[in-house]
Amino acid sequence: MNKIEEAEAVLGNLATAVNMLQGCPEFALLIPEVRVNLVYALPGARTPQEVAAVEGRITAVQGLPHASGMPAWGASDHLARRIIEVRKYDPTINAGINFKYDRTVMEIAQSYCSERGWLFGWTDRTREPDEVAELDGSSMPWKVKQLVDSSGGVPRLFYEGAGWGKEPLFVALGSRATEVAEIAIEIARRYREKTG
Amino acid sequence: MNKIEEAEAVLGNLATAVNMLQGCPEFALLIPEVRVNLVYALPGARTPQEVAAVEGRITAVQGLPHASGMPAWGASDHLARRIIEVRKYDPTINAGINFKYDRTVMEIAQSYCSERGWLFGWTDRTREPDEVAELDGSSMPWKVKQLVDSSGGVPRLFYEGAGWGKEPLFVALGSRATEVAEIAIEIARRYREKTG
Amino acid sequence: MNKIEEAEAVLGNLATAVNMLQGCPEFALLIPEVRVNLVYALPGARTPQEVAAVEGRITAVQGLPHASGMPAWGASDHLARRIIEVRKYDPTINAGINFKYDRTVMEIAQSYCSERGWLFGWTDRTREPDEVAELDGSSMPWKVKQLVDSSGGVPRLFYEGAGWGKEPLFVALGSRATEVAEIAIEIARRYREKTG
Amino acid sequence: MNKIEEAEAVLGNLATAVNMLQGCPEFALLIPEVRVNLVYALPGARTPQEVAAVEGRITAVQGLPHASGMPAWGASDHLARRIIEVRKYDPTINAGINFKYDRTVMEIAQSYCSERGWLFGWTDRTREPDEVAELDGSSMPWKVKQLVDSSGGVPRLFYEGAGWGKEPLFVALGSRATEVAEIAIEIARRYREKTG
């Protein structure tokens, strides 16, 4: 594949993942206040412009997951930078999705990981560097290092605990957008069963 | 007006306000992580089902404000309950909108209020009751009472400082959705001028 | 009601009608090639700017009816002008909706009208004035006169037969947008039953 | 590329083409009554399920082109079948887009083709087989054969003249969705210049 084909394959996998999520009503239960980001990075991406994401994020309309816009380059900042940083530890990771954190999600995510022998992790936002670090971009390396160190490697599922001004969130990581969408869908189905 | 006409007038004013916001590119700069809620309560509303809001909230797509869905009853929970509570202190308030908090917005909002002789306020989330109170719904009365007490009345513009797991947010209150949209649009224009 | 309240009541009734249609999966079966217009005119409207309609029309996404945009003034031209013209014969008509024409819809629409004692009508596009008339706007009066004359009054349901370059379409007329949405929904449900 | 990569590359090219069209305000001028279909077929596609298209088509909202839904498989029927048929004559064609026909578009399209030495064509719907043929699917082979015969090959740009119940439409054909989007965008820009 040349560079253009590579980029289109990324965008197409992201569109496929969005169609999967939109076709899963249970996923509406996992949409957090900040809405859902779904991102997929080009091989070797160094900036958010080389990471594809859903414009306007994924929200819920009439009880169903609904993408606000098209998959597009540069449509995510924070989750995009996280993927770029995670890859320094595990170059097989290209995609990520965030979703709601609560105790039920946590129980499901932990079982899901132990069934598969996957690492499960969390990041402790109370120990985050200060706001200045956030603004100059140096906090992401710190956060990802802390996650990897405390989890014994790059975990496929982890949560970021609540922080000052920050909603707690779950994140699933994987090699492709469809892969992380599948994880989120399976967790959503179990969530539906548990919560009725 | 009978009850049906009254309800449709509320929904129509909300649609008008959405059209105003969608037509203001500068407002995209004020969209917070949790997206924008815009709500308008029926006279005498006692539950969120009697409060109209934009389904899926208002996000930004291709740099422009974009409503994810239609104005509909029951489409907001938290901001809807806040309006219901505020009205116990000031029955002229029916509508509210939330938007991004940062220092620049705060300066603009304070000037805006002092130009008009309006009360300006804030709520201190660090003193919020615990999570249990949040879940059983008793925290909203507490929060609104704290806002009114500390502001010397119901303020037209206020911010909720960051909290544990909570993004800081600005809120504008008014008698109609178009009125709070006008406030948000004027603040967005000044924000654009200040930030270039 | 003053003028602004009147306008907002119209927009709010249109939003209510859109919510009804979006909540009716069967209506997706009645969406024609040209998509669905739903319009509601202000009392005394003389131009399409005084008629509210759904921006971008109503289409089907993932098998469900979906409004492309907000209810807004001036968002329809052709159906808006038709309503304005129809009112010269029946001032109780303010709203209209168009939907798919086929033989099954025709049978259902005829039964529906005869159950209610309503006039049923059709317009014969083969006898339409030429294209020049269309462009200078003089064809709408001609078309509506022909409809009223041939139907014995203003019919609540009628179809426009296919024309040169024109898809055949059904139109329902009524006093409010919610009223014509109810007609369309009932026809869609019967259509679903008949076609399986 | 394996089959999955091939499919995702198609979907990703379609998403890229949608982003191009959404970023071109002039293209809103070329949106026909039936809205815009944009399709891209898999190599060897034999049914519309193997052709990707934009769910709900592309419409105009607030004066800008706006895709109603995601790129998805099976989201087009008629244009998808046309592409499948055209390929029997020219296997390099995989993608197509339709847009408005009027005299100005025709003049621009003809110049555009002659500048490039491309074939320009049209199909005469007045000589189409009857409705029965349309329903059993045998009319598409007839229509495409007539187009190819009358144009001296597969034309890159052609129009379908108005038919009974059918809006006249322009169609651009090419090897990829981004290629036909580029043609449509260039024609839209010239249209804007000509019509002011």
Side-chain angles (χ1 to χ4, degrees):
Chain A
M1 284 199 284
N2 63 29
K3 287 286 170 192
I4 288 179
E5 285 169 346
E6 206 169 60
E8 290 178 351
V10 162
L11 220 50
N13 182 266
L14 196 55
T16 303
V18 171
N19 285 327
M20 289 163 57
L21 292 168
Q22 289 191 154
C24 172
E26 296 90 343
F27 184 65
L29 301 171
L30 293 193
I31 294 176
E33 291 297 318
V34 298
R35 313 292 112 170
V36 169
N37 257 320
L38 173 63
V39 308
Y40 191 167
L42 279 176
R46 301 182 66 160
T47 72
Q49 283 303 320
E50 296 167 294
V51 181
V54 180
E55 273 216 304
R57 302 189 187 164
I58 300 170
T59 184
V61 177
Q62 299 190 281
L64 294 173
H66 176 79
S68 298
M70 280 288 126
W73 301 100
S76 160
D77 179 57
H78 192 264
L79 187 52
R81 288 188 292 112
R82 192 191 294 267
I83 296 295
I84 291 170
E85 193 62 31
V86 162
R87 272 175 163 174
K88 296 179 186 168
Y89 299 89
D90 182 348
T92 69
I93 299 300
N94 305 300
I97 189 171
N98 64 355
F99 47 91
K100 188 174 82 173
Y101 167 92
D102 68 17
R103 288 179 192 190
T104 307
V105 176
M106 187 160 72
E107 285 166 26
I108 294 165
Q110 283 178 321
S111 309
Y112 190 88
C113 280
S114 65
E115 288 165 23
R116 281 159 186 74
W118 286 358
L119 289 175
F120 177 86
W122 70 293
T123 66
D124 179 1
R125 276 169 156 166
T126 61
R127 295 174 51 216
E128 259 181 44
D130 62 21
E131 199 180 325
V132 176
E134 176 68 35
L135 290 176
D136 73 11
S138 67
S139 75
M140 190 60 83
W142 184 92
K143 280 164 70 168
V144 170
K145 183 173 190 312
Q146 184 263 334
L147 172 69
V148 174
D149 286 350
S150 67
S151 312
V154 170
R156 294 292 295 279
L157 269 166
F158 67 95
Y159 68 97
E160 270 200 308
W164 191 246
K166 305 284 186 181
E167 184 181 9
L169 286 173
F170 251 98
V171 178
L173 300 175
S175 62
R176 318 179 77 227
T178 46
E179 190 182 311
V180 299
E182 272 165 26
I183 297 171
I185 285 170
E186 175 60 20
I187 290 174
R189 291 197 174 132
R190 295 189 188 184
Y191 189 86
R192 174 76 180 184
E193 275 170 37
K194 277 214 178 187
T195 58
Chain B
M1 287 199 282
N2 64 29
K3 287 287 169 191
I4 288 180
E5 285 169 345
E6 204 168 60
E8 289 177 352
V10 162
L11 221 49
N13 182 266
L14 197 54
T16 302
V18 171
N19 285 327
M20 289 162 57
L21 292 167
Q22 289 191 152
C24 172
E26 295 91 341
F27 184 66
L29 301 171
L30 293 193
I31 295 176
E33 291 297 318
V34 298
R35 314 292 114 171
V36 169
N37 257 320
L38 173 63
V39 309
Y40 190 167
L42 279 176
R46 302 183 64 158
T47 72
Q49 283 303 322
E50 296 167 295
V51 180
V54 180
E55 273 216 304
R57 303 187 187 167
I58 299 170
T59 184
V61 177
Q62 299 188 279
L64 293 173
H66 176 77
S68 299
M70 277 289 125
W73 301 100
S76 160
D77 179 58
H78 192 265
L79 187 52
R81 287 188 292 112
R82 192 191 294 268
I83 296 295
I84 291 169
E85 193 62 31
V86 162
R87 270 176 165 174
K88 296 178 186 168
Y89 299 88
D90 181 349
T92 69
I93 299 300
N94 305 300
I97 190 171
N98 64 353
F99 48 90
K100 189 174 81 172
Y101 166 92
D102 69 15
R103 286 178 194 195
T104 308
V105 176
M106 188 161 72
E107 284 166 26
I108 295 166
Q110 283 177 320
S111 309
Y112 190 89
C113 280
S114 65
E115 288 165 23
R116 280 159 187 74
W118 287 356
L119 290 175
F120 178 85
W122 71 292
T123 67
D124 179 0
R125 275 166 156 171
T126 60
R127 294 173 52 215
E128 260 183 41
D130 61 23
E131 198 179 325
V132 176
E134 176 70 34
L135 290 175
D136 72 11
S138 67
S139 76
M140 190 59 84
W142 184 91
K143 281 164 71 170
V144 171
K145 181 175 192 310
Q146 184 263 334
L147 172 68
V148 175
D149 286 352
S150 67
S151 311
V154 171
R156 293 293 295 278
L157 269 166
F158 66 96
Y159 68 98
E160 269 199 309
W164 191 247
K166 306 283 186 183
E167 184 181 8
L169 287 173
F170 251 98
V171 179
L173 301 174
S175 62
R176 318 181 76 228
T178 45
E179 189 183 309
V180 297
E182 271 164 27
I183 297 171
I185 285 169
E186 175 61 21
I187 291 174
R189 291 194 174 135
R190 296 189 188 185
Y191 189 86
R192 174 75 181 184
E193 275 169 37
K194 278 214 176 188
T195 59
Chain C
M1 285 199 283
N2 64 29
K3 287 287 169 192
I4 288 180
E5 285 169 344
E6 205 169 60
E8 290 179 350
V10 162
L11 220 50
N13 182 266
L14 196 55
T16 303
V18 171
N19 285 327
M20 289 163 57
L21 292 167
Q22 289 191 152
C24 173
E26 296 91 341
F27 184 65
L29 301 171
L30 293 193
I31 294 175
E33 291 298 318
V34 297
R35 313 292 113 169
V36 168
N37 258 320
L38 172 63
V39 309
Y40 190 168
L42 278 177
R46 302 182 66 159
T47 73
Q49 284 302 321
E50 296 167 295
V51 180
V54 180
E55 272 215 306
R57 301 187 188 167
I58 299 169
T59 184
V61 177
Q62 299 189 281
L64 294 174
H66 178 78
S68 298
M70 279 289 124
W73 301 101
S76 160
D77 179 57
H78 192 264
L79 186 52
R81 287 189 291 112
R82 192 190 293 268
I83 295 295
I84 291 169
E85 193 63 30
V86 162
R87 270 175 165 175
K88 296 179 185 168
Y89 299 89
D90 181 348
T92 70
I93 299 300
N94 305 301
I97 189 171
N98 65 351
F99 48 91
K100 190 175 81 173
Y101 166 92
D102 69 16
R103 287 181 193 192
T104 307
V105 176
M106 187 160 73
E107 285 166 26
I108 294 166
Q110 283 177 321
S111 310
Y112 190 89
C113 280
S114 66
E115 287 165 23
R116 280 160 186 73
W118 287 357
L119 290 175
F120 177 87
W122 71 293
T123 66
D124 179 1
R125 275 168 155 168
T126 61
R127 295 173 52 217
E128 261 181 42
D130 61 23
E131 199 179 326
V132 176
E134 176 70 34
L135 289 177
D136 72 10
S138 67
S139 76
M140 189 59 82
W142 185 91
K143 280 165 72 169
V144 171
K145 182 174 191 311
Q146 183 263 334
L147 172 69
V148 174
D149 286 351
S150 68
S151 312
V154 171
R156 294 290 295 278
L157 269 166
F158 67 96
Y159 68 98
E160 268 201 309
W164 191 245
K166 305 284 187 182
E167 184 181 9
L169 287 174
F170 251 98
V171 179
L173 302 174
S175 61
R176 318 180 76 225
T178 45
E179 189 183 310
V180 298
E182 272 165 26
I183 297 171
I185 285 170
E186 175 60 22
I187 290 174
R189 291 197 172 131
R190 295 188 188 184
Y191 189 87
R192 173 77 180 185
E193 275 170 36
K194 277 215 178 186
T195 59
Chain D
M1 284 199 284
N2 63 29
K3 286 286 169 193
I4 288 180
E5 286 169 345
E6 206 169 60
E8 289 178 352
V10 163
L11 220 50
N13 183 265
L14 196 55
T16 303
V18 171
N19 285 327
M20 288 162 57
L21 292 167
Q22 289 191 152
C24 173
E26 297 90 342
F27 184 64
L29 301 171
L30 293 193
I31 295 176
E33 291 296 318
V34 299
R35 314 291 113 172
V36 169
N37 257 320
L38 173 64
V39 309
Y40 190 168
L42 279 176
R46 303 182 65 160
T47 72
Q49 283 303 320
E50 296 168 295
V51 180
V54 180
E55 273 216 303
R57 302 187 188 165
I58 298 169
T59 184
V61 177
Q62 299 189 278
L64 294 172
H66 176 78
S68 299
M70 280 288 125
W73 301 100
S76 160
D77 179 58
H78 192 264
L79 186 52
R81 288 189 290 113
R82 192 191 293 267
I83 296 294
I84 290 168
E85 194 62 31
V86 163
R87 272 174 163 176
K88 297 178 184 167
Y89 299 88
D90 181 348
T92 69
I93 299 299
N94 305 301
I97 189 170
N98 64 354
F99 48 91
K100 189 174 82 173
Y101 166 92
D102 69 16
R103 288 177 193 194
T104 307
V105 177
M106 188 161 72
E107 284 166 26
I108 295 166
Q110 283 177 322
S111 310
Y112 190 89
C113 281
S114 65
E115 288 164 23
R116 279 159 187 74
W118 287 356
L119 290 175
F120 178 86
W122 70 293
T123 67
D124 179 0
R125 275 167 155 168
T126 60
R127 294 173 52 217
E128 260 182 42
D130 61 23
E131 197 179 327
V132 176
E134 176 70 33
L135 289 176
D136 73 10
S138 67
S139 75
M140 190 59 83
W142 184 92
K143 281 165 71 168
V144 171
K145 183 176 190 310
Q146 184 262 333
L147 172 69
V148 174
D149 286 352
S150 68
S151 312
V154 171
R156 293 292 295 279
L157 269 167
F158 66 95
Y159 68 97
E160 270 199 309
W164 190 247
K166 306 283 187 183
E167 184 180 9
L169 287 173
F170 251 99
V171 179
L173 301 174
S175 63
R176 318 180 78 229
T178 45
E179 190 182 309
V180 298
E182 271 164 27
I183 298 171
I185 285 169
E186 175 60 23
I187 291 175
R189 290 195 174 133
R190 296 189 189 184
Y191 189 86
R192 173 75 181 185
E193 275 169 37
K194 277 216 179 188
T195 59

